[in-house]
């Protein structure tokens, strides 16, 4: 089991560093295959994501990266708190089997995004101006909900949404990087208060392996085709979906 968890952590971190996607989409189904309980898998994934995201945030901070707009950042964080509360509330009301089906549907949408839209970028000349604060509240709330209900960081939702409303890719990524640690901490706190506890043995093995894998993934990110990798990963996710359902 220890070797399996080390492999899951390394693979989740590696793909996160390589493709910029959250490790939760790898960790949740992997934990489910091992523990057989979706609620514990979601909680364990979020706690692992806290450490992963903090590591990434510190790395970006040391490189001089900051959230582009403090006001928008605060709107995202505050609304994510309420979104995570709703996510945990609904999480408690669904069975493990139903949660597994919902997560499989969510993964299918992630696979479609990675395969079709993962390589799209917004040209800086087409950047929209004066985006309403209500848009950031909506994005933050939805990212918080997704994080809490499915056990993912929320960046897979936040980054494309921020780009769609007009932020440049670098603005969207930098804002997401600093938002995700707070979002995952909100989700984790709500889990613990609701009696949804993680599997601690997974944490102590997955986190170190994930941080190592993330550093290696970042090194490879600039030397391989992102489009090809995203599409291969999308196909891999579909295989995981089929395995979860059947």
């Amino acid at each position: 089991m220890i070797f399996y968890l080390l492999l899951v952590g390394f693979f989740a971190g590696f793909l996160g560093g390589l493709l910029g996607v959250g490790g939760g989409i790898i960790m949740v189904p992997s934990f489910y295959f091992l523990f057989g309980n979706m609620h514990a898998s979601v909680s364990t994934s979020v706690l692992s994501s806290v450490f992963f995201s903090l590591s990434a945030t510190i790395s970006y901070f040391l490189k001089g990266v900051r959230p582009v707009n403090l006001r928008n950042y605060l709107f995202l964080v505050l609304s994510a708190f309420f979104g995570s509360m709703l996510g945990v509330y609904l999480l408690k009301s669904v069975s493990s089997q139903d949660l597994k089906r919902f997560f499989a549907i969510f993964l299918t949408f992630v696979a479609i995004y990675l395969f079709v839209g993962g390589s799209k970028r917004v040209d800086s000349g087409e950047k929209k101006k004066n985006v309403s604060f209500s848009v950031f509240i909506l994005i933050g709330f939805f990212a918080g909900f997704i994080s809490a209900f499915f056990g993912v960081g929320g960046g897979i939702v936040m980054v494309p949404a921020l780009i769609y409303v007009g932020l440049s890719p670098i603005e969207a990524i930098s804002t997401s990087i600093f938002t995700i640690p707070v979002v995952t901490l909100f989700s984790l706190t709500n889990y613990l208060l609701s009696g949804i506890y993680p599997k601690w043995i997974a944490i102590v093995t997955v986190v170190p392996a994930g941080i190592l894998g993330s550093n290696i993934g970042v090194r490879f990110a600039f030397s391989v085709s992102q489009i090809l990798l995203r599409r291969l990963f999308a196909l891999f996710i579909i295989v995981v979906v089929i395995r979860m359902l059947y």
Side-chain angles (χ1 to χ4, degrees), residues 41-112:
S41 300
V42 165
S43 179
T44 306
S45 173
V46 164
L47 180 53
S48 301
S49 295
V50 170
F51 291 101
F52 289 173
S53 59
L54 281 175
S55 175
T57 300
I58 292 171
S59 297
Y60 275 83
F61 184 85
L62 293 177
K63 292 179 181 179
V65 177
R66 304 289 187 276
V68 175
N69 187 302
L70 182 59
R71 188 202 68 162
N72 294 339
Y73 172 74
L74 291 176
F75 281 134
L76 286 170
V77 168
L78 291 175
S79 58
F81 171 74
F82 294 101
S84 67
M85 290 181 64
L86 177 62
V88 172
Y89 175 78
L90 294 179
L91 180 67
K92 293 188 297 181
S93 65
V94 299
S95 67
S96 182
Q97 286 298 312
D98 286 340
L99 182 58
K100 180 181 70 171
R101 296 186 185 98
F102 288 139
F103 190 80
I105 294 172
F106 171 70
L107 281 184
T108 302
F109 281 106
V110 171
I112 293 172

Side-chain angles (χ1 to χ4, degrees), residues 5-28:
L5 289 171
L6 288 171
L7 192 61
V8 168
F10 181 85
F11 190 44
F14 180 77
L15 287 174
L18 187 66
L19 301 176
V21 297
I25 58 179
I26 291 295
M27 289 187 289
V28 172

Side-chain angles (χ1 to χ4, degrees), residues 36 72 89 122 132 138 140 183 188 237 240:
N72 294 339
Y89 175 78
V122 175
S132 170
L138 183 62
V183 172
L188 177 64
I237 290 177
V240 172

Side-chain angles (χ1 to χ4, degrees), residues 139-151:
I139 292 173
F141 184 88
F142 189 58
F145 172 78
I146 291 296
S147 172
F149 192 75
F150 291 118

